[in-house]
Amino acid sequence: MADRPAGAGSDSSRRWPAALAAVTVAGLAVAQAAPGFTGFRPVRRRLFPQLAGQGDPGHVALTFDDGPDPCSTPRFATVLADHGVRGTFFLLGSMVERAPWLAADLAAAGHEIGVHGYDHRYLPARMPSAARSDLRRATDLIERVTGSRPRFFRPPYGVLSGPALLVARELGLTPVLWGAWGREWTPGSTPDSVYQTLARNLAGGVTVLLHDSDCTSPAGSSQAALGALPRLLAECADRGLRVGPLREHWPAQVTRQSARDR
Ligand SMILES: [Zn+2]
């Protein structure tokens, strides 16, 4: 009887299922909310370097969110082509549906295509089933349109949820956030303000976030980002930093992946 928990009896036996349920619900709530903490950049950079986009110290990963947008994305593609640079475009399924040809053009030009979800909605506020079907739908659509399966996933607003993490894993997607951004969505942003904001965190190994569409931001945001892009590329060239897509940001990992694929 000594190893019987104190107080265990018919009363506590009746209470236990309710207590277990409460603990389980609390645990699930934490599991659902915890990845949201990765939204804090200092935390994620220290604890989750790959999630924070930290890679090869001689390389800067260039990423664009929210496209493909026929009004603005082709201008980004032109600037990148003029500089002989490729980037990673995190596409929204809802935007791909409207301009599938543009998603295919980006892939054909050698840019890497990542998934930004189907709808641009905050994942922790969604039902697990909705988060799962959103990511699956966007990934399948992108594969159909571009002919290749995306490897990287960036959640809307940079905030993950437990169910989204699980389905990303099932789909073979690696979540990646960023380490430097231009905050081009803030009112009154200009190419100079975007560049100055980016420059604060610009360093070898960082992942840069810009937006090639205004679909979730005030009108003119992507124009400010576009204006900052040549200066960003020139600064990286001056510092001897290579600029490219995420697939070139973790060369050792890509090598391991290719070996597995063979
Ligand atoms: Zn976005």
Side-chain angles (χ1 to χ4, degrees):
M1 297 294 284
D3 57 351
R4 190 175 180 185
S10 57
D11 230 29
S12 64
S13 302
R14 275 200 303 276
R15 281 201 300 271
W16 177 237
L20 178 63
V23 168
T24 306
V25 168
L28 287 174
V30 170
Q32 164 84 359
F37 293 123
T38 57
F40 297 108
R41 276 194 296 161
V43 174
R44 69 177 185 244
R45 199 161 37 219
R46 215 156 52 97
L47 298 181
F48 310 102
Q50 186 178 17
L51 179 63
Q54 275 300 124
D56 180 343
H59 187 262
V60 169
L62 192 55
T63 69
F64 302 92
D65 285 9
D66 291 2
D69 189 329
C71 299
S72 46
T73 303
R75 293 186 205 159
F76 283 79
T78 299
V79 170
L80 293 175
D82 289 347
H83 288 78
V85 168
R86 287 167 180 147
T88 301
F89 285 80
F90 282 100
L91 305 185
L92 282 171
S94 54
M95 296 294 278
V96 174
E97 206 87 72
R98 282 176 228 153
W101 55 271
L102 188 47
D105 281 358
L106 286 172
H111 297 295
E112 181 173 41
I113 305 300
V115 192
H116 197 35
Y118 191 91
D119 292 315
H120 202 274
R121 291 173 59 184
Y122 187 63
L123 285 168
R126 304 194 75 176
M127 295 295 287
S129 58
R132 275 198 300 273
S133 63
D134 181 287
L135 191 50
R136 207 174 275 283
R137 185 180 178 197
T139 305
D140 289 349
L141 175 62
I142 286 170
E143 182 175 15
R144 210 164 50 243
V145 166
T146 65
S148 60
R149 191 85 175 160
R151 283 185 51 210
F152 296 106
F153 162 53
R154 176 168 291 150
Y157 308 105
V159 181
L160 284 160
S161 70
L165 265 179
L166 287 177
V167 72
R169 195 180 161 83
E170 283 166 26
L171 296 170
L173 296 169
T174 301
V176 179
L177 302 179
W178 60 88
W181 60 9
R183 298 183 64 89
E184 58 269 24
W185 60 89
T186 49
S189 68
T190 63
D192 188 54
S193 74
V194 171
Y195 176 75
Q196 297 298 343
T197 308
L198 272 176
R200 276 181 223 147
N201 293 304
L202 185 62
V206 82
T207 291
V208 166
L209 162 66
L210 289 171
H211 292 79
D212 61 306
S213 171
D214 291 348
C215 70
T216 68
S217 327
S221 305
S222 63
Q223 192 62 35
L226 180 66
L229 186 55
R231 205 167 154 194
L232 170 70
L233 297 176
E235 178 64 20
C236 289
D238 281 352
R239 295 195 203 176
L241 295 168
R242 289 172 290 112
V243 179
L246 286 166
R247 64 174 175 242
E248 294 169 13
H249 208 44
W250 292 288
Q253 192 183 41
V254 169
T255 307
R256 281 203 302 277
Q257 176 71 39
S258 323
R260 272 204 299 275
D261 290 347
R262 279 200 295 271

